[in-house]
Amino acid sequence: MRVIIINNMFNENLNPEVFTRGVADIITKEGLKKLLQDKRQLRVKHGIDATSPYLHIGHAANLWKLRALQEAGHKAVIILGDFTTHIGDPTGRLKSRPQLGEEQIERNVSSIKTQIEGILLNKPAVCEVRRNSEWLGEMSVKDFLQVLSLVTHARLIERDMFQERINKGEEVLISELIYPVLQGYDSVAVKSDLTIIGSDQIFNEHLGRFFQEKFKQSPQVIVALELLPGLDGKKKMSKSEQNFIGLLDSPKDKFGKAMKVLDDLIISYMRSYTDISLEKIADLQKKLEQGLNPKEAKLFLAEQLVARYHGKKIAKKEKDGFESVFSKKELPEDMETRDLAGENHQILDLLIKLKLAPSRSEAKRLVLQRAVEVGGKTITDPTKSVKLKPSLIVKVGKRRFVKIGRIKN
């Protein structure tokens, strides 16, 4: 990752693309202009729900904006929602979220912090990581009721997701109604000047502005980023939909997943999820319109995406490996070799032992989808027993290979 010297003259290093590239809305543009003219260090907030230990490149789009603002001398204020995760953000949900236990939330928070540190500058002068349990967990009932008294039921229930659930006769929990209140109060607690969010969070952050005014603070400016569909081209990226490219994914998996991006999302993914220059993106868009094979654009997208997180050398290696396997029909040079005990294995057990599937149910799904090959032959029967021998190759999907090494007795 490139080394940045933080400029003490705020905003002189700031690339104006921070507030245009991949941005859906700014509330308000006049407020943003005033903040940047103040020539002071801004407190730039970004909240992360701890319902999952995984972040994906959609989450990271916010973090890269924060990184750019850090490089101009401003402070990134990360709020880990350990308290609000007990409720679960209802945004975009047609059903209530299951509640998580304390231990799972702590594991999720630890994992999220590690992923954040891979992108942000981890210097106290420009980085502050907080948990909202620090203020929400310590708030008295009296103080909480005072905050609640500032907002009406009508304002909270107007959200589309709640109206849809009500019309379907489904429940809306009181805890879900107050989630936006708690998230809004986060802005008061950290004295946020500016918040970087996905556009699905605008309602909650408007409440942040509302509460800040009530508590005699200047209302934060909201910079809302575009929400792109996931790899399936339908719903937004999320672990529950299995349509995401994760920050914890290996370089190989990041590259392979990027190659699955739908053709009409290539340009949008380049603009929001990479640092490819806008000039280059415009040139590729023009070439696609003139008949360039989308696969060529995807190869470039995948390489640049991997390079952003793992460096150019590893990205070039993944590109060469991908082209060898798919274009030249070669086996990967870095194929993993595993020794196993015994010659005969039931196919589902074999996939688990080779770490090609995390469970029997997933292994069965892969077999039924005709995604499993042993020795070049497709396995379609989940009950089949396989006889192993050294150098036998087990393949799952198009890019996952394991070579059998020694057979132990």
Side-chain angles (χ1 to χ4, degrees):
M1 189 171 286
R2 58 201 177 103
V3 176
I4 297 294
I5 299 176
I6 298 173
N7 193 324
N8 289 324
M9 295 298 292
F10 301 113
N11 308 322
E12 290 187 3
N13 277 357
L14 188 57
N15 187 330
E17 287 183 8
V18 171
F19 301 116
T20 57
R21 182 167 175 165
V23 172
D25 199 4
I26 296 176
I27 306 163
T28 65
K29 292 181 180 178
E30 294 77 12
L32 176 61
K33 183 178 180 180
K34 183 177 182 301
L35 283 181
L36 297 179
Q37 288 175 340
D38 283 349
K39 292 289 183 179
R40 66 178 176 87
Q41 186 182 54
L42 302 178
R43 293 177 61 78
V44 188
K45 185 197 76 174
H46 178 61
I48 301 177
D49 197 305
T51 51
S52 169
Y54 306 104
L55 298 182
H56 52 63
I57 60 173
H59 296 121
N62 299 283
L63 298 175
W64 286 112
K65 296 288 188 186
L66 288 169
R67 171 66 185 253
L69 286 159
Q70 285 183 305
E71 291 171 355
H74 302 293
K75 178 172 280 191
V77 182
I78 299 294
I79 299 178
L80 300 175
D82 61 334
F83 186 91
T84 44
T85 294
H86 286 291
I87 300 173
D89 186 356
T91 301
R93 306 289 294 189
L94 297 182
K95 293 183 179 179
S96 299
R97 288 181 183 269
Q99 293 191 355
L100 300 183
E102 196 69 44
E103 290 185 4
Q104 183 61 58
I105 290 174
E106 285 302 311
R107 287 195 293 270
N108 293 352
V109 165
S110 178
S111 177
I112 289 168
K113 287 178 67 176
T114 299
Q115 293 165 77
I116 290 170
E117 290 168 358
I119 296 177
L120 297 184
L121 294 170
N122 300 308
K123 301 178 180 180
V126 291
C127 190
E128 182 178 313
V129 179
R130 307 286 295 275
R131 295 176 177 225
N132 61 14
S133 59
E134 294 175 32
W135 47 89
L136 298 178
E138 300 299 320
M139 186 180 289
S140 69
V141 174
K142 179 181 178 180
D143 290 341
F144 177 56
L145 290 175
Q146 181 184 0
V147 173
L148 279 182
S149 70
L150 298 174
V151 63
T152 65
H153 170 268
R155 179 167 188 168
L156 297 177
I157 206 68
E158 71 184 7
R159 303 188 74 182
D160 291 345
M161 74 190 79
F162 291 152
Q163 290 297 318
E164 187 172 349
R165 281 158 64 174
I166 291 169
N167 292 336
K168 289 182 177 180
E170 296 175 352
E171 293 182 340
V172 177
L173 302 178
I174 296 298
S175 58
E176 293 180 292
L177 283 177
I178 66 171
Y179 185 97
V181 175
L182 299 177
Q183 182 174 324
Y185 187 78
D186 286 348
S187 298
V188 175
V190 300
K191 297 180 172 61
S192 169
D193 294 307
L194 172 69
T195 185
I196 307 288
I197 59 166
S199 59
D200 60 341
Q201 297 293 320
I202 288 178
F203 180 93
N204 296 355
E205 295 301 336
H206 260 301
L207 275 181
R209 286 171 57 87
F210 171 78
F211 285 129
Q212 284 180 307
E213 289 184 305
K214 293 294 184 181
F215 282 88
K216 310 302 181 185
Q217 295 181 14
S218 297
Q220 64 187 359
V221 171
I222 301 171
V223 177
L225 306 192
E226 296 173 346
L227 287 183
L228 300 180
L231 299 177
D232 57 4
K234 299 175 183 177
K235 298 182 179 181
K236 70 175 185 178
M237 278 196 184
S238 73
K239 183 171 188 300
S240 59
E241 299 298 330
Q242 292 294 308
N243 63 354
F244 69 101
I245 301 175
L247 300 192
L248 293 178
D249 285 342
S250 68
K252 185 184 295 293
D253 285 342
K254 282 189 179 75
F255 197 101
K257 287 182 179 182
M259 292 301 296
K260 296 178 182 178
V261 172
L262 299 184
D263 292 355
D264 59 359
L265 289 175
I266 296 172
I267 296 300
S268 295
Y269 269 51
M270 286 184 177
R271 189 162 44 238
S272 290
Y273 300 146
T274 75
D275 54 6
I276 301 169
S277 72
L278 292 178
E279 292 76 14
K280 177 64 175 178
I281 293 173
D283 180 59
L284 280 169
Q285 184 172 16
K286 183 177 180 180
K287 288 179 178 177
L288 285 168
E289 292 169 354
Q290 294 173 343
L292 175 70
N293 188 334
K295 180 184 175 183
E296 297 303 313
K298 286 185 192 179
L299 283 169
F300 185 65
L301 165 64
E303 183 177 12
Q304 294 302 308
L305 184 67
V306 173
R308 190 174 208 185
Y309 295 97
H310 304 281
K312 293 181 180 180
K313 185 175 180 180
I314 291 176
K316 178 65 164 54
K317 175 177 177 287
E318 293 303 333
K319 181 183 179 182
D320 291 344
F322 185 93
E323 291 184 308
S324 293
V325 172
F326 284 89
S327 302
K328 303 175 185 177
K329 304 298 181 182
E330 298 175 1
L331 294 174
E333 294 181 1
D334 59 349
M335 190 189 313
E336 185 177 3
T337 299
R338 285 188 174 271
D339 301 333
L340 288 179
E343 290 185 340
N344 295 299
H345 295 263
Q346 201 266 345
I347 186 60
L348 303 187
D349 293 332
L350 178 63
L351 294 177
I352 294 172
K353 290 175 182 176
L354 295 178
K355 298 185 178 181
L356 291 171
S359 64
R360 287 180 63 84
S361 60
E362 176 64 11
K364 183 177 180 180
R365 184 187 69 80
L366 291 168
V367 170
L368 292 177
Q369 289 184 345
R370 304 178 66 86
V372 178
E373 291 183 11
V374 178
K377 296 181 179 179
T378 302
I379 305 296
T380 58
D381 180 3
T383 66
K384 184 176 180 59
S385 181
V386 177
K387 185 174 182 178
L388 303 182
K389 61 182 181 180
S391 297
L392 186 72
I393 294 174
V394 181
K395 177 184 175 186
V396 171
K398 296 181 178 180
R399 300 191 70 221
R400 299 168 65 195
F401 300 81
V402 173
K403 181 188 291 185
I404 303 300
R406 293 186 299 118
I407 307 295
K408 304 174 185 177
N409 295 322

